[in-house]
């Protein structure tokens, strides 16, 4: 999401790919804080994270990156208009809890197959520790996975209903302008 935000704002950047075991060290190096309070016994460093060489600032967490970009580069299109900050914060939270957490059982296990071996081992062990279940057991083919996909569809149907509640056809979440809610 951060790259879409940077593209939308017309800001140049360079992407550096990071293996999962190296995320914490990189975040500490650039000064990007862990997400929220310590969970599962340790601070949780995660990506996306950005390092802004113009301000010597490191930021993690997509919505915080969006806020930083708006504040630091005010001459570019706003991602989070001030009057919509609360709405977009709620939308971001809802997206995570209502959509991404429903996608997790069907998305995380096959994600391992796309990773380099060092990241695959780390990702698998970390997620199995967090969720207390082997990823291979999380959403096995058949009725369990079918049920997970039904939950994903129901979550998207609910979101669609909320976005269409006013009965107006809209291109973007806020109507006629792109915001961070669309980038999510």
């Amino acid at each position: 999401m951060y790259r879409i935000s940077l593209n939308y704002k017309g800001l140049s950047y360079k992407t550096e790919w990071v293996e999962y075991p190296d995320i914490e060290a990189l975040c500490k190096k650039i000064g990007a804080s862990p997400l929220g309070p310590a969970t599962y016994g340790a601070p949780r460093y995660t990506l996306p994270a950005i390092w802004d060489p113009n301000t010597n600032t490191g930021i993690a967490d997509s919505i915080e990156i969006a806020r930083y970009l708006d504040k630091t580069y005010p001459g570019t299109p706003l991602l989070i208009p001030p009057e919509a900050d609360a709405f977009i914060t709620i939308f971001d939270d809802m997206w995570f809890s209502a959509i991404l957490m429903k996608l997790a059982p069907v998305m995380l296990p096959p994600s391992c197959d796309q990773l380099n071996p060092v990241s695959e081992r780390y990702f698998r062990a970390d997620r199995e520790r967090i969720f207390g279940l082997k990823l291979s057991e999380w959403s096995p083919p058949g009725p369990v996975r079918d049920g997970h996909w039904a939950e994903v569809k129901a979550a998207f149907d609910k979101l669609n209903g909320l976005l269409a509640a006013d009965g107006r056809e809209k291109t973007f979440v806020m109507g006629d302008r792109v915001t961070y809610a669309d980038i999510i």
Side-chain angles (χ1 to χ4, degrees):
M1 286 183 268
Y2 80 96
R3 290 192 306 173
I4 297 170
S5 296
L6 289 164
N7 289 335
Y8 177 67
K9 292 180 87 55
L11 300 171
S12 62
Y13 61 91
K14 179 178 100 176
T15 300
E16 290 188 31
W17 300 103
V18 180
E19 298 291 348
Y20 273 92
D22 302 327
I23 292 171
E24 181 174 345
L26 173 70
C27 287
K28 286 179 177 179
K29 176 182 170 186
I30 67 171
S33 300
L35 293 185
T39 55
Y40 312 106
R44 190 113 178 113
Y45 291 91
T46 188
L47 298 179
I50 65 166
W51 166 254
D52 185 346
N54 297 319
T55 62
N56 292 325
T57 302
I59 303 283
D61 188 11
S62 295
I63 196 166
E64 294 307 320
I65 291 169
R67 284 192 177 100
Y68 169 82
L69 294 173
D70 279 348
K71 180 181 175 186
T72 307
Y73 300 98
T76 61
L78 286 176
L79 295 162
I80 305 175
E83 70 276 10
D85 189 275
F87 166 76
I88 290 173
T89 300
I90 293 165
F91 189 89
D92 182 65
D93 184 69
M94 196 232 38
W95 175 259
F96 179 80
S97 60
I99 304 290
L100 285 184
M101 290 311 292
K102 297 291 186 202
L103 277 167
V106 293
M107 189 173 71
L108 292 182
S111 295
C112 289
D113 299 336
Q114 307 303 311
L115 301 172
N116 292 327
V118 66
S119 283
E120 187 276 333
R121 287 188 299 276
Y122 180 93
F123 183 89
R124 183 178 300 281
D126 184 63
R127 292 341 183 251
E128 289 177 353
R129 178 180 56 83
I130 289 170
F131 295 108
L133 185 66
K134 296 275 186 200
L135 289 184
S136 60
E137 300 167 358
W138 205 1
S139 190
V144 171
R145 186 174 300 159
D146 293 344
H148 288 145
W149 277 117
E151 290 177 10
V152 169
K153 183 183 181 317
F156 274 105
D157 287 346
K158 181 176 181 178
L159 175 61
N160 186 51
L162 292 170
L163 294 173
D166 65 2
R168 293 182 304 141
E169 180 87 15
K170 298 185 274 291
T171 303
F172 305 107
V173 172
M174 299 280 303
D176 61 352
R177 65 178 173 176
V178 174
T179 67
Y180 181 70
D182 300 292
I183 291 171
I184 294 170

